[in-house]
Amino acid sequence: MLKKIIKEYGIIGNPLIHSYSPQFFTEKFKEKKITDSAYLRFELPSIDDFRKLLQEHPQLRGLNVTIPYKQQVKPYLDEIDDKAKEIGAVNVIKITRDGENPWLKGYNSDWYGFEKSLKPMLKPWHTGALVLGTGGASKAVVFTLKTLGLDYRLVSRTKQEGMLTYGDLDEETMDKYKVIINTTPLGTFPNVKCCPEIPYHLLTKQHIAYDLTYNPIRTLFLQQAMTKGCDIKNGWEMFVYQALRSYEIWEGVHWGHKF
């Protein structure tokens, strides 16, 4: 006899067709023999549908938040964790219910996932990083780089105050910033033939190329970096670590994971 589902979790965003979170958590629940919980996909046409979602799913204990709602969801929350405030984006919501009124607290686990994934790669000469892209995904990356004490520069397609453009990436800059992080969607499935327009010929064996994308496993950005001998990594570890941290926030339970 199947145990009744009494705890629901899920992810909100739009679109969600490529989100791996439902599969990841469903497999984890099975692995951990958790039979009273389910993880659902909530593709919201607008953030205005958020309150309705909470009303229709009174068993919700927690949510992950993805594009485009990591910033839009903030006004709907009762409380925001200090790190999420500083980052300026929420990707985890813990839902506590007292009667019919839910209490929503926002967190960010992206920075945690990125730090856990990047830190083991760093060598003494990795003192600076170039962050490709200035969207929501870059916010947690920048927070992490500050935490790790790395100098960083944001790289944008258009000229903006305090930022570099791709045309500014000369030999001196590429030598100074030996960690290159792609936070743009360029190269993500199905548009796998795209990549950021950096001077790949200036990459060396001392460079790290990190792509937040994990579909495909090796983007064109990582492929080109690999030909120059760079240490490369995609965003899979970051995804797993942030997902594990999400469940720890929701239920206070830490799940280990082997890669």
Side-chain angles (χ1 to χ4, degrees), residues 20 24 117 210-214 233-241 257 259:
Y20 193 77
F24 176 83
S117 180
Y210 193 112
D211 200 325
L212 266 58
T213 293
Y214 55 86
K233 186 175 278 190
N234 67 20
W236 174 247
E237 281 187 7
M238 177 182 173
F239 165 78
V240 171
Y241 282 129
H257 189 87
F259 289 98

Side-chain angles (χ1 to χ4, degrees), residues 49 107 115 136 167 181 220-221 226:
D49 299 306
Y107 298 82
E115 181 183 72
I181 305 151
L220 185 56
F221 166 73
M226 188 174 65

Side-chain angles (χ1 to χ4, degrees), residues 108-174:
N108 190 296
S109 66
D110 283 335
W111 76 270
Y112 171 84
F114 181 63
E115 181 183 72
K116 289 277 287 183
S117 180
L118 177 68
K119 194 173 181 179
M121 303 178 74
L122 297 176
K123 303 293 191 297
W125 54 85
H126 294 134
T127 58
L130 295 176
V131 181
L132 311 181
T134 59
S138 71
K139 293 181 180 297
V141 167
V142 166
F143 177 87
T144 303
L145 295 175
K146 289 179 182 177
T147 301
L148 294 173
L150 270 68
D151 185 19
Y152 70 92
R153 295 295 300 273
L154 289 164
V155 183
S156 173
R157 288 175 297 175
T158 58
K159 193 70 177 176
Q160 299 183 54
E161 186 177 353
M163 299 182 188
L164 300 173
T165 66
Y166 287 93
D168 294 327
L169 303 182
D170 55 16
E171 186 172 358
E172 181 181 355
T173 304
M174 296 297 287

Side-chain angles (χ1 to χ4, degrees), residues 21-52:
S21 294
Q23 184 174 343
F24 176 83
F25 279 103
T26 299
E27 290 175 356
K28 273 293 180 185
F29 290 155
K30 185 176 181 179
E31 174 192 330
K32 302 295 182 180
K33 296 181 171 56
I34 299 172
T35 58
D36 65 346
S37 301
Y39 191 99
L40 308 171
R41 182 184 277 109
F42 301 112
E43 189 167 295
L44 302 183
S46 165
I47 194 62
D48 295 335
D49 299 306
F50 183 64
R51 294 195 194 282
K52 183 181 178 183

Side-chain angles (χ1 to χ4, degrees), residues 53-55 57-60 95-103:
L53 169 66
L54 295 174
Q55 292 170 356
H57 291 267
Q59 294 171 311
L60 268 175
I95 303 172
T96 306
R97 293 184 182 271
D98 182 9
E100 295 182 359
N101 299 317
W103 180 268

